Amino acid sequence: MTIIKITPFDNGAHANQMIYGAMPETFPLPEDWAVLSESVGRPETLEHFPFGEVTVEEVDGVPTVTSWTPLPVPEPDPEPEEQYTAEDAVRALIGG
């Protein structure tokens, strides 16, 4: 079973966890989390997972993701212009 945090990060990604051997009826979900319904998809089949908008509904008393709308995958942060070495860090720590 896959659970995802309903509230996304600023970049549109949802925190998620795979819970092996658990059933939605018996596993206590943390607050603001929902079960990803297999009828919606699996992490490896959902486009741009974990970046998406979700619809969550109560199904048999369990918060469940009932739809997935993919969001664009953000570009990675650019590399910093200046690279520091371990020697630079040591100098900074000893005040050199």
Side-chain angles (χ1 to χ4, degrees), residues 82-93:
E82 195 169 347
Q83 297 290 321
Y84 295 98
T85 66
E87 187 176 311
D88 296 329
V90 170
R91 266 196 227 118
L93 288 171

Side-chain angles (χ1 to χ4, degrees), residues 1-87:
M1 166 176 83
T2 301
I3 62 172
I4 70 170
K5 188 164 174 74
I6 298 167
T7 304
F9 296 111
D10 291 341
N11 64 3
H14 292 269
N16 58 90
Q17 292 288 315
M18 183 69 108
I19 312 295
Y20 295 98
M23 299 301 295
E25 309 82 42
T26 59
F27 182 81
L29 288 175
E31 189 171 328
D32 196 37
W33 287 72
V35 173
L36 178 59
S37 171
E38 293 224 1
S39 65
V40 172
R42 298 174 47 85
E44 57 272 8
T45 64
L46 289 172
E47 185 177 0
H48 297 173
F49 188 82
F51 301 95
E53 291 181 7
V54 298
T55 301
V56 176
E57 298 175 19
E58 291 273 330
V59 176
D60 296 327
V62 177
T64 305
V65 176
T66 56
S67 75
W68 175 267
T69 303
L71 293 175
V73 176
E75 293 294 323
D77 290 334
E79 290 292 321
E81 291 183 25
E82 195 169 347
Q83 297 290 321
Y84 295 98
T85 66
E87 187 176 311

